[in-house]
Amino acid sequence: MSRLTCGDVYGRFDVLFNRVRVIQKKSGQFDMLLCVGSFFGTSPESQTHWDEYKSGAKKAPIQTYVLGANNQETVKHFKDVDGCELAANITYLGRKGLFTGASGLQIAYLSGIESSSEPAPAYCFTAKDVTSLKMSLMSNSKFKGVDILLTSSWPKDVSNYGNALPNEASKKCGSALISNLAFNLKPRYHFAALEGENYERLPYRNHLVLQENAQHVSRFISLASVGNLDKKKYIYAFNIVPMSLTDIADLVKQPLDVTENPYRKSDKDTPKSKGNKSAEEEEPTQQFFFDLNKPQGKKRQTDGKGGRQSQAKQPRKHPQPTGPCWFCLASPEVEKHLVVSIGDNCYVALAKGGLMSDHVLILPIGHYQSTVDLSSDVVKEVEQYKAALRTFFKTKGKRYVMFERNYKSQHLQLQVVPLPLSCCTTEDIKETFILQAQEQGMELLEIPEHSDIKQIAQPGTPYFYVELDSGEKLFHRIKKHFPLQFGREVLASEAILNIPTRADWKDCKSSRAEEEDLTKTFRDAFEPFDFTLQD
């Protein structure tokens, strides 16, 4: 269930759709493109370009959904406030409402910019519009939130408790009404534009810790304008399984970098946060006619008590090995002369038959099959080792690529392979993984930034996972067969390290004495960066 979202198009239709074609050629087909901000431009040239799409001379390569006008000049393009088809494959969602896709994905949307007066111009929304949209959704007793929220304007105070904004001016922008809307609709993803900036906020909570049952987290992402000269990110690819089809325990998992809700104060201070009669009277005008929802199989069962089952659930004990394990640290099978560092929950060891002499593994001390099985304490220490290795390799003029194969393996092995900065760029590495996967009939999908792999794969799910030094992550769900040496083959290929003869670890074995020397050399060099040795 792959989607694309973009920022302000401003009439640069060819630039946008050509970029979409390139992305789909590399990564496969996407289900839809969601456009936030200003879709139309105001120049005569942009009108000429639009006429080509409106007449059918050109066609969008993907089903595209857009929000309404943000200024008086572009109101003319949106003839029906309830939404309509603008051109082949291009649909105006409407002034406000809920779009439900065939998979059950729920997308709430609000067009325009905030107006403080009534009647509002056609390109504006008011407090009455926001209240009406909230009430139409929240009146359902089973409402837990929406999958996606689309607005053109930013929410006010979005950076509270979060990562820094791209510039100081952004702190003054935003609508308090949209903050209130986001606080109440609890979108898993909230996209906005208009500010010309790419800002991906850290995920934030939708519940009060120790006071309320755990709920899913929300992510706010602002995208820059299409084709901007500063090359700021204007298109975002992501995968999302509808909330209605996601197991409650998976839905409420909290990533390590989650923050407090930036709008909690805003919600209390914003006037008209409660429903009123005028808003309720307007409720029937909400447009739900784009509802493509059809039966898509059975929902996974929950306890029927609003997710309380996950609160009462006892911690799951990780399984013990059914036979000898070469990686459980207490096992006699472990080749302990390869161990570089030992923490409380994890350890680092030199890879046997490594691609490079400093190719290492991060492994849990206890028996865990994959990353998605790890307890929070183990995850925390894995992240500490990642950070330490990243810093260490950087001092050596290297970047690392990390990958995991949860297939035909019984103990988690995070392969950490350092690459000279001079051999290739991070983008080259990413493209090589994607292309070589495609050549073997596999699809590597990009995981949204700040997402947790545990939100995508459940325990027991076979998968292949790549993490780049930029923080970008690629994921493939293994269905039947998978080449066991795929990660090594990609890195050993001509496009990256150009050492194809080392793709199989069995062809790279060293003697015991050589392994001991390599381990000592690495251990000594890594010692200043090893957090387990710090006071």
Side-chain angles (χ1 to χ4, degrees), residues 16 32 122 151 201 227 359 415 447 460 475 495 527:
L16 171 63
M32 63 177 70
T151 63
R201 192 201 183 280
H359 173 179
Q415 307 270 347
I447 300 176
F475 177 85
E527 184 174 337

Side-chain angles (χ1 to χ4, degrees), residues 168-185:
E168 286 298 311
S170 299
K171 288 184 178 180
K172 300 178 181 179
C173 75
S175 162
L177 290 176
I178 290 181
S179 298
N180 179 265
L181 182 66
F183 181 84
N184 284 278
L185 295 193

